[in-house]
Amino acid sequence: MPPRVNPRIIAVAALVDGVAVIAFAATGRASHGEAVLAGLAITAWPFLVALAVGWLAALAWRRPLAPIRTGIPIWVITVALGMLLRAASGQGTALAFVIVATLTLGLLLIGWRALATLVTLVTRRARTRHPE
């Protein structure tokens, strides 16, 4: 069983994921010349719901910063279920959008975790070499 994770880290990880999905939706709306705030909820909700399901399926609270163990399942579920929810709600799922969403959400949801892992490793190494 993995060690207990600080609840603050879990909350921050969930918040960063949510902000990443909202930033993805906002950027997409802006890149198409659409009103960002006016339709942001409509664009973001399928991916936010899928993100929550991804968190549950991946048991993300156990290792919220793990890029492979947590980030990849969250990414795959967020994209796949998000697209299904978009289609079910009458929103577009053009192939180009699916490709862009897959790549962008992968970069965001896995990328920040990979960066956090790298920073943690570098910080630990620095402390080991130069203990205070």
Side-chain angles (χ1 to χ4, degrees):
M1 181 165 229
R4 184 170 159 85
V5 178
N6 183 329
R8 287 186 191 139
I9 291 174
I10 296 167
V12 168
L15 180 65
V16 171
D17 280 348
V19 168
V21 168
I22 291 168
F24 158 72
T27 302
R29 291 189 63 78
S31 71
H32 291 285
E34 298 173 345
V36 174
L37 292 178
L40 186 57
I42 293 168
T43 303
W45 82 261
F47 296 103
L48 290 171
V49 169
L51 175 66
V53 171
W55 261 75
L56 292 172
L59 306 174
W61 55 89
R62 291 185 177 176
R63 294 188 62 203
L65 305 180
I68 295 170
R69 158 74 175 73
T70 304
I72 290 175
I74 287 174
W75 165 52
V76 170
I77 292 168
T78 300
V79 172
L81 183 56
M83 290 301 168
L84 289 172
L85 292 171
R86 276 182 65 87
S89 65
Q91 297 185 55
T93 56
L95 180 59
F97 175 69
V98 173
I99 292 168
V100 168
T102 300
L103 295 174
T104 304
L105 288 170
L107 178 66
L108 294 172
L109 296 173
I110 299 169
W112 79 260
R113 286 177 169 86
L115 186 58
T117 299
L118 180 62
V119 168
T120 299
L121 290 173
V122 169
T123 302
R124 282 184 189 158
R125 256 191 214 146
R127 286 183 185 157
T128 303
R129 289 185 182 151
H130 306 291
E132 293 179 18

